[in-house]
Amino acid sequence: MPMAYLYGKKFVGPITQTILALREELYSIPYDTIDWDKARHSCAKDDLRYPRSKVQNIIFSCLNKFVEPMLNCWPIKKLRDKALDNLMEHIHYQEENTKYICICPIDKALNMICSWVENPNSDAFKQHLPRIYDYLWIAEDGMKAQVYDGCQSWETAFIVQAFCSTDLVNEFGPTLERAYDFIKKSQVIENHPNYQSYYRHRSKGSWTLSTGDNGWSVSDCTAEAVKALLLLSKTSPNLVGHPIKHERIYDAIDCILSFMNKDGTFSTYECKRTASWLEILNPSESFLNIVVDYPSVECTSSVLEALILFKELYPPYRSKQIEKCIKDGAAFIENKQRKDGSWYGTWSICFTYGTLFAVKGLVAAGRTYDTSSSIRKACNFLLSKQLITGGWGESYLSSETEDYVDGGTPHAVNTAWAMLALIYAGQVERDPVPLYQAARELINMQLDTGEFPQQEHIGCFNSSLYYNYANYRNLFPIWALGEFRRRLLATKR
């Protein structure tokens, strides 16, 4: 939207010495010699992951050569002006309902420029300024911008589950109490006004990836938060504080069920609204499958686990819908399994991650190693990828090739994911030796500070953008070791 607005406005800022210096730094040839018609179809080789088709190039060229000049002439220009006003209305709606954080640093910066172009002294522009800092952080080599304004709700929900897996909750009461309080306060408690007119999904009862200010409800973030809340609700209030009100949990379940696609699956920010053929409109060249919000194994699995846990504690509430959702979601996960026994992970690297979530969802839905060929195949896949040292180390290239690529060295997070999948699939009871080897690998990786090392990034977006979840390197090894220890003690009893 902001790129469309700035292009339609034909906006050019003042040409200052700073702008001239930036042009010299950013472009490989003198700015005044650039052939912009040719540049429209060029893309850096390293970024050209998904080249545009000839049909796309023809359509875009025709739009630029014939339609664009018409839109700059009266009276058709009035249509463009009306469209630009409508664009700014949508941009302001997003700004207001994300407390001027926006969805990522790119549209945050561009929306801010649009507000400045519209009115440099506007309240919108002034409210943008203090929220720039939500994206900035200082690394060892200088200032960086995050790909999102954080993942606080997402990681806190996982950290709670990791603590609960250790059976050491009583020793960490104050920590869990603060985490519990944060999750409760981070819930989005009302829908954005007139949200359907702005093509937004409902938000009441949801959680975002980061904080309540972000405003963008996400299906699996909501599900993981619900799981954490329900687990802590089983713990004494004297230890972790008072549980969340039932009405708030019901709101969360209502929101989760509103995300359900017609086939019982779950996407991320909204339901799947349209057909895959619309991907022909994708002009990005760097990202695949970004026009449609497709259902994923991870989102569907997270929701299944949350609904199953909720059903145990609140059996009467929307029971028929929940039962159908669980049945359809489990069938979707089974159908998405690859021939080698793995599942492709959309949001992290890649097959270890996807297989963990798929196994968790299927086990929660009642599948076992003895009754499900999918679970058996998944275990065989994971055991076949275990390194001789006992760990797992999947390369980021798996996300690009869509085939498992061994990184050659153990990775703490990959190892923890594989361990957890095997543990949930009953490997402790069948043959714990591979898990002992993996646990030894993790223990040997642990640093003197108690942390685990920061290794290759394990976050992934659209098969070509890689990033880091700061707490994964600690929370998942804790979770895997804690769950393994707990299961071993249970078998000895």
Side-chain angles (χ1 to χ4, degrees):
M1 291 192 297
M3 288 295 286
Y5 180 82
L6 294 171
Y7 179 82
K9 277 284 188 181
K10 298 294 187 285
F11 169 75
V12 179
I15 308 301
T16 64
Q17 288 301 314
T18 302
I19 295 297
L20 293 174
L22 284 170
R23 286 179 175 178
E24 186 177 346
E25 178 182 339
L26 292 171
Y27 293 94
S28 58
I29 61 175
Y31 185 85
D32 293 336
T33 67
I34 296 174
D35 182 342
W36 291 106
D37 282 334
K38 184 179 179 182
R40 290 180 61 252
H41 297 294
S42 64
C43 183
K45 185 178 179 181
D46 289 341
D47 294 330
L48 189 59
R49 304 291 179 86
Y50 309 104
R52 294 200 307 241
S53 66
K54 289 184 179 178
V55 173
Q56 283 180 305
N57 284 335
I58 291 171
I59 292 172
F60 295 157
S61 295
C62 289
L63 287 171
N64 184 63
K65 190 169 183 178
F66 301 112
V67 179
E68 171 60 22
M70 293 171 57
L71 289 171
N72 290 317
C73 299
W74 189 91
I76 301 178
K77 188 176 184 298
K78 286 189 171 295
L79 179 64
R80 165 166 275 178
D81 292 339
K82 187 174 181 179
L84 291 172
D85 290 341
N86 184 257
L87 267 175
M88 276 310 298
E89 185 182 338
H90 281 265
I91 288 170
H92 287 320
Y93 184 85
Q94 176 171 322
E95 292 171 337
E96 291 162 7
N97 289 295
T98 61
K99 304 293 191 293
Y100 292 85
I101 294 172
C102 303
I103 192 63
C104 73
I106 298 169
D107 80 325
K108 159 68 178 174
L110 292 171
N111 284 355
M112 184 165 64
I113 293 171
C114 290
S115 293
W116 185 81
V117 170
E118 185 186 43
N119 181 359
N121 297 311
S122 66
D123 288 339
F125 178 70
K126 292 173 184 176
Q127 292 189 70
H128 262 295
L129 295 175
R131 304 240 64 161
I132 292 173
Y133 302 99
D134 288 75
Y135 289 104
L136 301 180
W137 61 286
I138 301 296
E140 295 84 353
D141 56 345
M143 184 174 285
K144 308 286 186 181
Q146 302 178 123
V147 297
Y148 213 78
D149 67 306
C151 46
Q152 298 93 311
S153 293
W154 176 248
E155 290 191 338
T156 302
F158 279 141
I159 288 168
V160 166
Q161 295 174 64
F163 271 114
C164 291
S165 75
T166 65
D167 269 350
L168 298 174
V169 170
N170 291 336
E171 297 186 27
F172 297 100
T175 297
L176 288 170
E177 184 178 15
R178 291 195 295 272
Y180 200 13
D181 186 57
F182 170 77
I183 295 173
K184 287 186 285 188
K185 288 179 177 177
S186 298
Q187 187 178 22
V188 180
I189 58 175
E190 60 184 16
N191 286 318
H192 300 312
N194 202 21
Y195 66 93
Q196 290 175 320
S197 298
Y198 290 89
Y199 312 104
R200 290 286 292 270
H201 196 82
R202 68 162 280 174
S203 51
K204 183 179 180 181
S206 70
W207 276 265
T208 71
L209 184 70
S210 55
T211 64
D213 279 1
N214 177 279
W216 281 82
S217 55
V218 188
S219 65
D220 56 345
C221 294
T222 303
E224 295 297 340
V226 167
K227 284 160 60 179
L229 290 171
L230 294 178
L231 284 172
L232 288 177
S233 71
K234 299 179 180 181
T235 306
S236 169
N238 296 328
L239 187 66
V240 298
H242 295 292
I244 193 170
K245 293 179 180 178
H246 292 175
E247 292 78 11
R248 297 267 295 275
I249 288 289
Y250 293 153
D251 286 342
I253 296 303
D254 290 343
C255 188
I256 286 174
L257 291 175
S258 76
F259 275 104
M260 184 168 61
N261 295 314
K262 293 178 181 179
D263 57 358
T265 61
F266 289 83
S267 307
T268 51
Y269 286 102
E270 60 191 25
C271 300
K272 182 182 177 183
R273 296 180 175 182
T274 188
S276 301
W277 65 264
L278 272 181
E279 293 294 345
I280 195 173
L281 300 176
N282 177 6
S284 72
E285 299 180 293
S286 296
F287 302 123
L288 183 67
N289 296 334
I290 61 171
V291 176
V292 180
D293 196 351
Y294 294 96
S296 72
V297 167
E298 304 102 291
C299 291
T300 304
S301 174
S302 290
V303 167
L304 287 193
E305 287 190 90
L307 292 178
I308 289 165
L309 187 54
F310 173 81
K311 187 164 67 81
E312 293 173 4
L313 299 175
Y314 303 91
Y317 193 77
R318 301 188 68 171
S319 57
K320 289 185 178 179
Q321 286 174 285
I322 289 174
E323 284 289 350
K324 185 177 187 306
C325 176
I326 293 169
K327 180 182 176 181
D328 291 346
F332 165 75
I333 293 173
E334 288 179 321
N335 291 334
K336 281 292 181 179
Q337 189 174 31
R338 294 162 61 103
K339 290 181 179 180
D340 64 1
S342 68
W343 282 268
Y344 182 83
T346 307
W347 300 107
S348 278
I349 300 167
C350 174
F351 293 100
T352 327
Y353 179 79
T355 302
L356 165 61
F357 273 81
V359 168
K360 285 176 68 183
L362 291 177
V363 170
R367 274 57 164 181
T368 67
Y369 186 88
D370 293 329
T371 63
S372 170
S373 61
S374 292
I375 299 291
R376 291 194 295 275
K377 287 167 63 177
C379 291
N380 291 336
F381 165 77
L382 290 170
L383 292 172
S384 72
K385 304 302 180 185
Q386 189 172 22
L387 300 172
I388 193 170
T389 60
W392 281 261
E394 186 177 1
S395 168
Y396 74 93
L397 293 172
S398 292
S399 295
E400 297 180 16
T401 64
E402 296 193 12
D403 283 310
Y404 187 93
V405 178
D406 198 324
T409 56
H411 192 294
V413 179
N414 287 145
T415 300
W417 286 342
M419 277 186 71
L420 283 166
L422 290 168
I423 290 167
Y424 290 125
Q427 188 68 33
V428 175
E429 294 76 17
R430 287 190 306 278
D431 177 15
V433 172
L435 295 171
Y436 276 117
Q437 294 169 340
R440 187 182 302 114
E441 183 74 79
L442 282 181
I443 291 168
N444 290 337
M445 283 185 180
Q446 192 171 27
L447 306 175
D448 292 340
T449 59
E451 298 177 291
F452 290 84
Q454 174 62 61
Q455 298 167 285
E456 185 179 278
H457 290 356
I458 36 74
C460 178
F461 174 76
N462 290 114
S463 304
S464 53
L465 174 66
Y466 304 101
Y467 51 88
N468 185 43
Y469 288 99
N471 286 300
Y472 274 22
R473 65 188 174 103
N474 291 319
L475 80 87
F476 279 109
I478 289 170
W479 194 342
L481 292 171
E483 193 68 38
F484 185 40
R485 173 182 175 274
R486 191 165 66 85
R487 300 289 180 111
L488 285 173
L489 292 175
T491 57
K492 288 178 181 178
R493 295 192 192 105

